[in-house]
Amino acid sequence: MATAVIACAALRLGTAGLRELTGAPGWEDAAGVIGLDLTAAALYAAAAFALEDTRHRPVLPVGRPGNRSEAVRRGTEPGERPEL
């Protein structure tokens, strides 16, 4: 989900840049629509990760591969070392 938010932000930045370069009003509309999509994706991701942190288990799907519930219980991601 975080990757989707970053990709959407990059796409919005690119369309806004094209609007500035070309002056075509269609790019402004496209940047606005992508901005609304970005807002929705960012709000969903923030809610999903906040719920996961408070409940210590996955609540909303975020597209993470593997078993996140065990990583949440241990407090680390797979491949990470726990803090000493």
Side-chain angles (χ1 to χ4, degrees):
M1 179 53 70
T3 305
V5 171
I6 292 169
C8 192
L11 185 61
R12 192 209 177 280
L13 181 64
T15 55
L18 285 171
R19 162 66 172 103
E20 291 297 319
L21 290 173
T22 65
W27 286 113
E28 187 174 11
D29 294 339
V33 170
I34 294 169
L36 292 174
D37 292 341
L38 172 60
T39 302
L43 288 173
Y44 178 86
F49 290 131
L51 285 170
E52 194 172 279
D53 281 346
T54 57
R55 296 192 181 177
H56 303 291
R57 65 179 175 82
V59 178
L60 298 172
V62 291
R64 184 183 294 121
N67 185 2
R68 171 67 178 154
S69 61
E70 185 169 319
V72 170
R73 281 195 297 273
R74 285 194 326 256
T76 60
E77 290 284 339
E80 283 186 4
R81 294 184 327 184
E83 291 185 30
L84 300 176

